[in-house]
């Protein structure tokens, strides 16, 4: 069953209907659903689908020849073209007869095996394919390669693409479709534990409990996600041991580059290079307080919540897991899940805000949004705001996100309002996001102020599917 990606599919279908040459570049981290999206798009379309392999140029040419042969209606083993130029000429002949979708999946593998392929594609696109009704899709999992060697200005293919899609993990709203029978709170935890990666979500059992799913996937030596982050590092990076140590340091709460470097035992300059590579993979993010483009207060966080979950709960229980004690591990970590979910819930709230912002159903239309932290000069101590949004009309939205079982009381609202006094603004609005509910006292206080909204997680999930109801 294909879930989600309606916006991406619609954009691709719209371009397909234009009936002239297109070159769409699709990239994103492994398991994010690139191939599934392409196959869904290609249904009932005349398609030549080729997947590059991490092997020699000769073997890739053999496989491309086979794909062309089968697209021609051939069966059995295909004759191999003399070279890649001859293979591309054969594709041209195929596209002249009838509209064709040409998919080159895992393009980085092909380009590494035969570096001249990008130049060959550039020439044939410029001199032949531009005048044809051919829909080319170049797809890859190596995000740094796709951005530099396909989309980058030094690439022979620069300027040839007509569209690009950087495929992101699912948000909580798309994740929900995988688990229609599970409680929403459990869906949120599974979303956080998998990072919203479709392939991982599909491995979960929608009829089993949260505990059973986490034990089977993470806390079992046979579990698919038991060693997945480590395997991803080995596939994508040299020196995986150093990267592993860096990720563990960040997971343990070291967020400044100097702290990370000290914990790992490397120079700060070297650590910065490693962090850049992890950011290119979408595993780590560098965050600065909203409104500060360059700040000494920048920190590094694990952007991928699968990595956050894994480094928080798996390595320290490795021996227990290897010895079949997955249930005991879950009982140990269960009490820490709400803390882990704090950052996940902030992401959920941010995605909800963007959805409402796109439809104009917030009290302001914001242009920038992010976290903020800094010093409160009144109390001379550090403070932070979970989500701060603003626009050029000097309107600001202040949000606090709490994943707690107990109702949120008015002290949380009082503190948010007090923190907002650090910012001058024409208009100020407030939203409290709660996992479950709000105390009667908090509700009474919010009812007396028109610029305050109280939103529970269940309300977010219900409102997300509605098209008319506003926050008011």
């Amino acid at each position: 069953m294909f879930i989600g990606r309606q916006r991406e599919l619609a954009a691709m279908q719209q371009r397909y209907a234009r009936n002239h040459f297109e070159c769409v570049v699709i990239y994103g981290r492994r398991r994010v659903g690139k191939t599934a999206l392409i196959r869904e798009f290609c249904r009932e379309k005349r398609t030549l689908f080729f997947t590059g392999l991490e092997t020699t140029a000769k073997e890739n040419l053999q496989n491309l020849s086979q794909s062309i042969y089968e697209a021609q209606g051939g069966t059995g083993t295909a004759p191999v073209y003399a070279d890649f130029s001859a293979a591309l000429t054969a594709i041209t002949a195929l596209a002249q007869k009838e509209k064709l979708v040409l998919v080159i999946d895992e393009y980085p593998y092909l380009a590494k095996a035969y570096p001249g392929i990008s130049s060959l594609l550039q020439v044939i696109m410029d001199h032949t394919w531009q005048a044809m009704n051919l829909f080319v899709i170049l797809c890859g999992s190596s995000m740094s390669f796709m951005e530099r060697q396909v989309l980058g200005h030094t690439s022979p293919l620069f300027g040839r693409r007509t569209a690009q899609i950087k495929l992101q993990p699912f948000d909580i709203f798309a994740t929900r479709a995988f688990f229609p029978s599970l409680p929403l709170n459990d869906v949120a935890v599974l979303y956080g534990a998998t990072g919203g990666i479709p392939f991982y979500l599909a491995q979960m059992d929608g009829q089993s409990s949260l505990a059973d799913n986490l034990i089977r996937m993470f806390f079992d030596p046979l579990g698919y996600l038991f060693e997945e982050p480590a395997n991803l590092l080995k596939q994508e990076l040299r020196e995986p041991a150093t990267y592993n140590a860096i990720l563990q340091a960040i997971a343990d709460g070291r967020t400044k580059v100097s702290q990370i470097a000290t914990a790992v035992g490397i120079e700060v300059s070297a650590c910065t290079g490693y962090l850049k590579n992890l950011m290119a993979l979408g595993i780590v993010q560098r965050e600065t307080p909203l409104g500060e483009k360059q700040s000494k207060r920048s920190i590094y966080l694990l952007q991928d919540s699968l990595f956050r979950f894994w480094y928080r709960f798996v390595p320290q229980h490795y021996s227990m897991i290897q010895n079949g004690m997955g249930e005991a591990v879950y009982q140990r970590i269960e009490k820490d899940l709400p803390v882990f979910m704090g950052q996940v819930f902030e992401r959920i709230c941010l995605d909800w805000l963007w959805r409402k912002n796109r439809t104009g159903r917030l009290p302001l239309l914001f242009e920038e949004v992010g976290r903020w932290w800094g010093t409160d000069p009144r109390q001379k101590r550090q403070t932070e705001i979970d989500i701060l949004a603003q626009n050029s009309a000097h309107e600001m939205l202040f949000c606090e996100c709490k994943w707690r079982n107990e109702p949120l009381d008015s002290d949380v609202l009082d503190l948010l309002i007090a923190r907002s006094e650090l910012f001058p603004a024409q208009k100020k609005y407030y939203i409290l996001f709660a996992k479950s509910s709000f105390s009667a006292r908090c509700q009474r206080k919010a009812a007396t102020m028109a610029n305050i909204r109280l939103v529970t997680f269940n309300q977010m999930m219900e409102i997300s599917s509605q098209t008319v109801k506003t926050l008011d």
Side-chain angles (χ1 to χ4, degrees):
M1 179 176 65
F2 185 80
I3 294 174
R5 306 302 188 198
Q6 298 310 310
R7 186 164 50 178
E8 292 86 353
L9 272 176
M12 293 171 73
Q13 295 286 10
Q14 186 180 41
R15 292 194 170 273
Y16 182 82
R18 293 168 61 180
N19 289 321
H20 56 67
F21 175 74
E22 297 282 348
C23 179
V24 178
V25 176
I26 299 177
Y27 66 111
R29 59 153 295 175
R30 296 184 188 278
R31 316 293 193 221
V32 81
K34 301 180 297 297
T35 303
L37 169 65
I38 293 169
R39 291 197 180 279
E40 181 68 15
F41 168 74
C42 291
R43 283 175 56 188
E44 302 179 4
K45 294 181 179 68
R46 184 167 175 258
T47 303
L48 194 166
F49 200 111
F50 166 69
T51 301
L53 299 177
E54 196 171 15
T55 182
T56 63
K58 179 181 178 180
E59 196 165 344
N60 272 290
L61 180 58
Q62 290 172 348
N63 289 330
L64 178 57
S65 300
Q66 186 69 40
S67 297
I68 296 170
Y69 185 61
E70 292 172 359
Q72 293 169 333
T75 57
T77 303
V80 180
Y81 290 97
D83 51 33
F84 282 99
S85 181
L88 294 179
T89 300
I91 293 172
T92 301
L94 264 176
Q96 285 174 338
K97 298 176 182 178
E98 184 184 348
K99 183 163 189 173
L100 178 71
V101 178
L102 168 63
V103 179
I104 304 181
D105 199 3
E106 293 299 352
Y107 182 74
Y109 287 154
L110 173 62
K112 288 175 183 177
Y114 181 67
I117 190 64
S118 292
S119 294
L120 284 179
L121 284 171
Q122 174 221 325
V123 172
I124 202 166
M125 286 181 183
D126 288 351
H127 298 286
T128 306
W129 289 357
Q130 281 287 351
M132 299 177 64
N133 193 3
L134 177 62
F135 196 104
V136 179
I137 298 175
L138 301 180
C139 179
S141 299
S142 175
M143 291 192 287
S144 59
F145 182 96
M146 296 298 286
E147 289 176 343
R148 294 171 189 167
Q149 304 299 322
V150 178
L151 298 172
H153 69 276
T154 60
S155 166
L157 293 172
F158 178 71
R160 274 72 189 179
R161 63 106 176 94
T162 57
Q164 74 280 331
I165 298 174
K166 185 176 183 179
L167 208 59
Q168 301 290 349
F170 280 158
D171 61 19
I172 185 64
F173 309 108
T175 298
R176 184 180 184 180
F178 284 89
F179 311 108
S181 302
L182 287 183
L184 285 177
N185 289 347
D186 291 355
V187 173
V189 177
L190 291 177
Y191 161 71
T194 59
I197 299 298
F199 184 82
Y200 303 150
L201 291 168
Q203 308 307 307
M204 300 289 179
D205 183 354
Q207 303 303 314
S208 297
S209 68
L210 171 65
D212 288 345
N213 273 301
L214 293 181
I215 292 169
R216 180 174 58 86
M217 294 294 287
F218 288 95
F219 307 138
D220 184 322
L222 301 179
Y224 188 86
L225 297 177
F226 172 53
E227 293 184 327
E228 180 70 354
N231 291 336
L232 287 173
L233 293 182
K234 291 174 186 175
Q235 290 173 9
E236 298 286 353
L237 300 163
R238 299 174 183 176
E239 304 178 68
T242 302
Y243 286 102
N244 181 70
I246 288 172
L247 293 172
Q248 188 64 65
I250 298 173
D252 290 341
R254 297 174 177 92
T255 58
K256 301 260 187 187
V257 64
S258 58
Q259 297 172 337
I260 299 166
T262 299
V264 178
I266 58 177
E267 295 294 327
V268 168
S269 58
C271 188
T272 301
Y274 288 117
L275 288 168
K276 284 182 179 178
N277 292 335
L278 290 169
M279 287 190 288
L281 292 173
I283 297 172
V284 167
Q285 66 180 3
R286 180 176 181 265
E287 194 172 38
T288 58
L290 183 70
E292 301 181 25
K293 302 302 180 185
Q294 298 293 331
S295 174
K296 293 182 179 179
R297 289 185 284 151
S298 294
I299 59 174
Y300 292 88
L301 301 172
L302 295 184
Q303 178 179 352
D304 189 319
S305 65
L306 164 70
F307 279 76
R308 279 207 310 276
F309 183 91
W310 194 89
Y311 278 95
R312 185 182 184 95
F313 297 125
V314 173
Q316 59 268 48
H317 298 111
Y318 196 84
S319 295
M320 293 177 67
I321 295 170
Q322 287 281 27
N323 285 280
M325 299 176 64
E327 291 187 13
V329 171
Y330 179 79
Q331 290 171 5
R332 279 193 176 189
I333 68 104
E334 187 177 16
K335 67 181 185 305
D336 295 325
L337 284 177
V339 177
F340 163 76
M341 284 299 296
Q343 195 170 337
V344 175
F345 190 47
E346 288 180 20
R347 178 74 250 178
I348 290 171
C349 296
L350 186 58
D351 287 340
W352 183 87
L353 285 169
W354 272 117
R355 285 187 164 220
K356 299 304 144 195
N357 199 50
R358 285 195 293 269
T359 57
R361 292 159 60 197
L362 288 174
L364 78 166
L365 188 69
F366 63 77
E367 298 156 8
E368 289 185 292
V369 65
R371 289 202 309 136
W372 182 89
W373 61 94
T375 303
D376 184 342
R378 300 166 303 182
Q379 300 182 4
K380 297 182 180 179
R381 66 182 184 185
Q382 291 293 301
T383 188
E384 64 179 53
I385 296 171
D386 289 344
I387 299 176
L388 173 62
Q390 60 187 10
N391 60 27
S392 54
H394 304 292
E395 298 174 312
M396 303 186 84
L397 172 65
F398 302 85
C399 305
E400 188 76 11
C401 315
K402 297 295 183 185
W403 189 262
R404 298 175 180 172
N405 290 326
E406 65 272 12
L408 289 195
D409 206 350
S410 58
D411 61 329
V412 178
L413 178 56
D414 294 337
L415 185 58
L416 181 61
I417 294 173
R419 288 171 175 169
S420 75
E421 293 170 359
L422 296 171
F423 299 85
Q426 286 289 108
K427 292 182 181 179
K428 295 181 181 181
Y429 304 94
Y430 306 89
I431 299 179
L432 287 191
F433 292 104
K435 174 186 178 182
S436 55
S437 61
F438 300 91
S439 70
R441 181 168 55 181
C442 187
Q443 293 181 57
R444 285 195 300 269
K445 179 157 189 171
T448 65
M449 301 175 68
N451 59 342
I452 294 176
R453 300 290 182 270
L454 307 179
V455 183
T456 66
F457 177 53
N458 280 355
Q459 288 172 337
M460 293 163 65
M461 298 303 290
E462 291 166 3
I463 294 173
S464 71
S465 65
Q466 297 174 6
T467 57
V468 178
K469 185 176 179 181
T470 68
L471 277 173
D472 296 323

